[in-house]
Amino acid sequence: MLDATNPGDGLEVVDAFDGGDETLNPAQDNQDIENSNDDDQLFDDNGDPIDADGEGDDPAEEFEDVIRGDKTYKVPKALAAELLMQADYTRKTQEVAEIRKAAETRQAQVEKTERLQAEFAQDIAALGALNARLKPYEQVQDWPTYLRTGGAEAQAHYAEYQALNGERNAFAQTLGQKVQQRQADEQREAAKLIEDGRVELAKHIKGYGPETLSKLETFAAPFGFSPEEIREAEADPRSIRILHLAQIGHDALQARKKTQQLAQAQKTQPVQTLRGAGGRIQSRPDTDDFAAFEKLVDAKARAKR
């Protein structure tokens, strides 16, 4: 076994292969390792030599400024065009999302109008009939003159016009109140659905509240969803739960990616070769190989005895 009682004298080992003697001295071994650094050549995946000092024959890499938000970054020129293309794609995607949102808003308004028209179809038809009866009287541009020159007939027309006009205005006012009441009811129903949805979401998402919703809005924004759409989606808890699971999965993938990158960066670099006078022993940074090395030294010591 290894004798560490007197490190300064070195360890005497018998070479089991050639029968010679060699002494492993720490100072000499360190010098051998330094010399081996000069002999070893590193190669990349393509078999091309790598300059250990980082000084290659390639010309200096060019960089360009790329603006992201209110910050400017220097990136390799070869990547600048790709980044600009990605930024342009993102901008166009956002524009398309805005156009889609505007179209959906208009469509929702049209559907709402059609729904109200269907619900109040009879009232709207009655109002239209009153407007049709008033139309001939609206052609009279000067009622005072017509009343002075028209005699009894003009008086009768004016009385009928006044009655129809009053009836139409009262009917229109009543219909307007009905529509406003229906819209208010819809708003209350929508608010109730959202409130019930939040209660349901709190049962399935721990700590669900405004902060959670804000994070979901931020997460969904790159996919073209507006904050209004996410808030309205609370009326259907299923949508929010699916979105929340998607966010959890996304965050987990990002964390895993960072962990892998950190592990890759912390990988042990290749260990230098330890050379002796009578052979070449490759040392590796794991306990199994070190144990094998220790057994080899022990075997040589026993052979010498």
Side-chain angles (χ1 to χ4, degrees):
M1 300 297 290
L2 291 177
D3 185 2
T5 56
N6 192 356
D9 295 338
L11 176 65
E12 186 176 11
V13 181
V14 175
D15 193 327
F17 300 98
D18 56 18
D21 295 340
E22 74 174 83
T23 300
L24 296 182
N25 187 281
Q28 180 62 38
D29 291 340
N30 289 338
Q31 183 63 39
D32 290 340
I33 292 175
E34 292 178 359
N35 294 337
S36 69
N37 289 341
D38 297 333
D39 298 336
D40 293 340
Q41 175 65 60
L42 302 178
F43 297 89
D44 59 18
D45 294 339
N46 297 323
D48 298 324
I50 299 176
D51 190 342
D53 297 331
E55 299 177 357
D57 297 331
D58 295 337
E61 189 172 18
E62 298 183 7
F63 292 84
E64 285 190 4
D65 292 339
V66 174
I67 300 176
R68 285 291 183 273
D70 57 349
K71 295 184 179 180
T72 301
Y73 303 91
K74 288 189 176 296
V75 300
K77 186 175 181 180
L79 297 178
E82 181 178 348
L83 292 174
L84 291 175
M85 183 182 300
Q86 181 180 4
D88 182 62
Y89 173 78
T90 301
R91 179 179 59 80
K92 290 181 177 179
T93 301
Q94 292 174 344
E95 291 177 355
V96 171
E98 292 174 359
I99 294 174
R100 179 177 63 84
K101 176 60 178 175
E104 291 177 351
T105 301
R106 288 194 299 269
Q107 180 63 26
Q109 185 61 42
V110 170
E111 292 176 355
K112 182 178 180 180
T113 301
E114 292 177 347
R115 185 174 64 255
L116 290 174
Q117 288 177 346
E119 184 174 349
F120 298 100
Q122 292 182 353
D123 291 335
I124 293 174
L127 181 61
L130 289 172
N131 287 332
R133 292 173 61 186
L134 278 170
K135 189 171 183 179
Y137 299 105
E138 292 175 347
Q139 304 300 320
V140 180
Q141 299 179 358
D142 187 357
W143 277 103
T145 301
Y146 179 56
L147 289 172
R148 286 197 307 269
T149 60
E153 183 180 9
Q155 294 292 335
H157 288 166
Y158 183 71
E160 186 176 358
Y161 167 68
Q162 288 289 82
L164 284 173
N165 192 51
E167 183 181 357
R168 191 278 307 271
N169 289 342
F171 191 88
Q173 183 178 5
T174 300
L175 179 58
Q177 291 174 349
K178 288 182 179 180
V179 172
Q180 290 178 357
Q181 182 63 42
R182 184 69 187 94
Q183 292 174 336
D185 291 342
E186 288 181 348
Q187 291 176 356
R188 281 193 295 270
E189 291 172 2
K192 183 65 167 53
L193 286 174
I194 291 177
E195 187 63 29
D196 292 343
R198 290 172 179 170
V199 173
E200 182 68 19
L201 288 169
K203 297 178 181 178
H204 301 280
I205 301 177
K206 184 178 180 180
Y208 183 83
E211 184 177 353
T212 306
L213 185 64
S214 178
K215 291 180 180 179
L216 291 177
E217 291 173 2
T218 302
F219 171 70
F223 301 97
F225 291 95
S226 67
E228 293 77 11
E229 288 178 306
I230 302 303
R231 288 193 290 269
E232 292 173 358
E234 285 185 305
D236 184 0
R238 298 172 301 176
S239 302
I240 296 297
R241 290 178 62 185
I242 291 175
L243 183 61
H244 182 251
L245 290 175
Q247 182 191 25
I248 292 176
H250 176 269
D251 293 346
L253 288 175
Q254 293 300 312
R256 180 179 179 183
K257 182 178 180 181
K258 289 181 180 180
T259 301
Q260 291 175 341
Q261 291 174 344
L262 180 61
Q264 182 69 23
Q266 292 180 342
K267 275 187 175 180
T268 305
Q269 298 298 323
V271 177
Q272 305 298 333
T273 299
L274 177 63
R275 294 182 177 179
R280 180 183 178 93
I281 303 175
Q282 182 68 32
S283 174
R284 291 186 174 83
D286 60 75
T287 56
D288 291 339
D289 287 341
F290 184 78
F293 169 76
E294 189 178 29
K295 291 178 180 179
L296 176 63
V297 172
D298 189 45
K300 289 184 178 180
R302 288 198 303 271
K304 181 178 180 180
R305 291 196 296 270

